[in-house]
Amino acid sequence: MRQLDELYPYLREDEPVPGLTSTIGAPVEHLDLATVLKVSQAVSGEIVLENLIDTLMRTAIEQAGAERGVLIVSNEGEPQLAAQATTSRETVVVQLCDQHLATGTLPQAVLHYVMRTRESIMLDDAAAQPPFAADPYIQERRARSILCLPLLARAKVIGSLYLENSLAPGVFAHARSWY
């Protein structure tokens, strides 16, 4: 083996292979695919449910640019809070939950729309977009950018992922093609 290395040293050199999961220096059209691949790889590597939820929430928050995320699961037709994630300085803090979804946790109008229609919703400036601007949560918390995705299994809604950023409008516009 050492003789082969001496005779053909160029075969030993590891050249970086351009990958779709790296976003640094990647053209803009590859960023969305890279995000999807990164989330898929992170999620597929987890088997323990708690670790899977933690990984999902962290990755979603980081990739979308959200300040806060909520994972809702449907338990016998009732929305149940499974996890909450928030950004704190440079880290994402994930809190696993198993409780009834309390009023004031997120905009009910947005959640009900997504769960009923099975359509994703993205609000660039929630406070200025009827009919959701009238939701008490949006008025009280002044949520600006909102992204809510239905979670489907066998064409049935099993929950949703809610992301928000209250600092700026249009935060999730770049995420439009990966949800």
Side-chain angles (χ1 to χ4, degrees):
M1 189 68 152
R2 198 174 80 223
Q3 290 175 335
L4 289 174
D5 286 343
E6 289 174 3
L7 290 172
Y8 305 101
Y10 58 89
L11 293 177
R12 193 80 167 124
E13 294 176 16
D14 294 329
E15 290 185 33
V17 177
L20 293 176
T21 58
S22 173
T23 59
I24 297 173
V28 174
E29 59 270 9
H30 293 297
L31 292 179
D32 296 327
L33 178 59
T35 299
V36 171
L37 289 174
K38 185 173 183 177
V39 170
S40 297
Q41 289 171 344
V43 169
S44 68
E46 293 295 342
I47 295 175
V48 178
L49 181 60
E50 291 81 11
N51 294 346
L52 174 66
I53 291 171
D54 185 88
T55 300
L56 170 72
M57 295 303 291
R58 286 179 191 282
T59 306
I61 291 277
E62 291 169 357
Q63 294 298 313
E67 285 184 299
R68 179 171 178 263
V70 179
L71 178 64
I72 299 103
V73 295
S74 183
N75 186 7
E76 297 180 18
E78 291 296 316
Q80 185 101 3
L81 182 62
Q84 290 191 76
T86 55
T87 55
S88 176
R89 297 188 186 138
E90 295 292 319
T91 63
V92 177
V93 177
V94 178
Q95 177 186 6
L96 299 177
C97 313
D98 186 15
Q99 61 194 37
H100 181 72
L101 185 64
T103 305
T105 305
L106 52 87
Q108 295 296 311
V110 171
L111 177 64
H112 291 302
Y113 178 86
V114 169
M115 299 291 271
R116 188 182 78 251
T117 65
R118 299 178 183 180
E119 294 177 10
S120 299
I121 197 166
M122 184 181 67
L123 304 174
D124 288 332
D125 193 351
Q129 290 182 254
F132 303 107
D135 189 286
Y137 177 92
I138 292 173
Q139 290 178 345
E140 183 180 313
R141 300 270 182 108
R142 301 177 195 247
R144 305 283 306 270
S145 298
I146 291 178
L147 176 63
C148 191
L149 314 164
L151 303 176
L152 304 170
R154 297 184 186 105
K156 181 180 175 187
V157 177
I158 59 168
S160 68
L161 177 62
Y162 170 84
L163 302 172
E164 85 177 29
N165 186 309
S166 59
L167 297 177
V171 170
F172 304 123
H174 73 280
R176 185 181 304 266
S177 62
W178 65 265
Y179 68 87

